[in-house]
Amino acid sequence: MGKSDTATPRERYRAQVRTEIKEHAWQQIATAGASALSLNAIAKQMGVSGPALYRYFAGRDELITELIRDAYRSLADTLGAAAAEGADLSGLAHVLRGWALADPHRYFLLYGTPVPGYHAPDDTTAISSEIMATLLTACAALIPEAPEAPEAQAAQEATEAPFAAHLEKHRAWAGDHPAPPAALHLAMSFWTRMHGVLSLELAGHFTGMGFDPDRLFAAELDALLP
């Protein structure tokens, strides 16, 4: 029996109202951006008083945090499901792009310009770490296992890829994932280059340039893959 099956009528009503508030919030973000988000404006759209909405969200920041958590959860679940079905790093890249193109405003809430005056709670990064773990696993699968001892392998990687060696000592962003330095480097390169192309495309910077952004994304991905 799911949680919704055991919820009281009051709890179900509260959940419905919170969902409606978030729907209006996304509409506001699509129209004027996250920085213009206003609970009072949402209350007016819903035909209730401003103070009434504060029974559901304590303020703008709590609402933004809820939207960010929902967006991270959606992306983490989408990538996780693709990985579970056998998607490799290339497949995950296209899943990421599809997710971003489906709702650019949701994408930019996570990876766009920070909302002025908003500071996300530390626990919002917990879900984002699931996304990185999925990508790190896919990256590690592309890195051949070296027959040398770990010390020799580390020395070789330090010579061939100094940044990979740097990441081995600065891997807090990777959590406790056991990915080797080369996989860390690939994941970081993947993250920055794929998001770079996506951010420029979704912001409209390729409009009028006369090329297909999908082909650029594919070319950048091909250049990354070992």
Side-chain angles (χ1 to χ4, degrees):
M1 182 177 292
K3 183 178 179 180
S4 60
D5 297 326
T6 60
T8 66
R10 182 185 182 89
E11 290 171 335
R12 287 196 296 269
Y13 176 75
R14 179 177 177 81
Q16 290 171 359
V17 174
R18 283 173 61 88
T19 297
E20 184 178 355
I21 292 171
K22 288 191 286 185
E23 289 172 352
H24 282 288
W26 282 121
Q27 292 171 9
Q28 276 194 12
I29 290 173
T31 301
S35 60
L37 194 63
S38 166
L39 279 177
N40 287 330
I42 293 174
K44 185 176 181 180
Q45 290 176 325
M46 294 176 63
V48 299
S49 66
L53 258 63
Y54 286 89
R55 295 200 298 267
Y56 301 95
F57 291 97
R60 184 206 67 158
D61 285 6
E62 183 178 320
L63 176 55
I64 291 176
T65 296
E66 185 76 2
L67 297 176
I68 290 174
R69 287 197 181 107
D70 287 351
Y72 271 135
R73 182 75 272 153
S74 173
L75 181 55
D77 289 349
T78 299
L79 291 175
E85 292 176 0
D88 58 8
L89 186 62
S90 178
L92 292 177
H94 290 290
V95 169
L96 170 64
R97 183 169 186 266
W99 183 89
L101 292 176
D103 193 337
H105 302 291
R106 178 178 57 180
Y107 174 87
F108 279 125
L109 184 62
L110 297 183
Y111 302 114
T113 303
V115 179
Y118 171 75
H119 301 285
D122 292 340
D123 64 352
T124 57
T125 61
I127 303 175
S128 67
S129 66
E130 294 180 34
I131 298 170
M132 188 56 70
T134 298
L135 296 178
L136 281 167
T137 297
C139 289
L142 295 175
I143 305 300
E145 294 185 9
E148 298 92 352
E151 296 79 5
Q153 179 183 355
Q156 179 181 357
E157 289 175 340
T159 301
E160 296 178 352
F163 185 62
H166 170 77
L167 286 178
E168 174 64 8
K169 297 179 180 179
H170 300 82
R171 56 186 299 157
W173 58 276
D176 58 359
H177 198 285
L184 294 176
H185 191 180
L186 177 58
M188 183 62 73
S189 298
F190 174 93
W191 197 238
T192 54
R193 289 173 70 170
M194 295 300 94
H195 280 300
V197 174
L198 280 173
S199 295
L200 288 170
E201 177 183 4
L202 294 176
H205 292 294
F206 297 150
T207 302
M209 293 183 69
F211 68 88
D212 184 352
D214 183 49
R215 290 177 178 266
L216 172 62
F217 187 87
E220 287 295 293
L221 178 60
D222 287 343
L224 273 174
L225 297 177

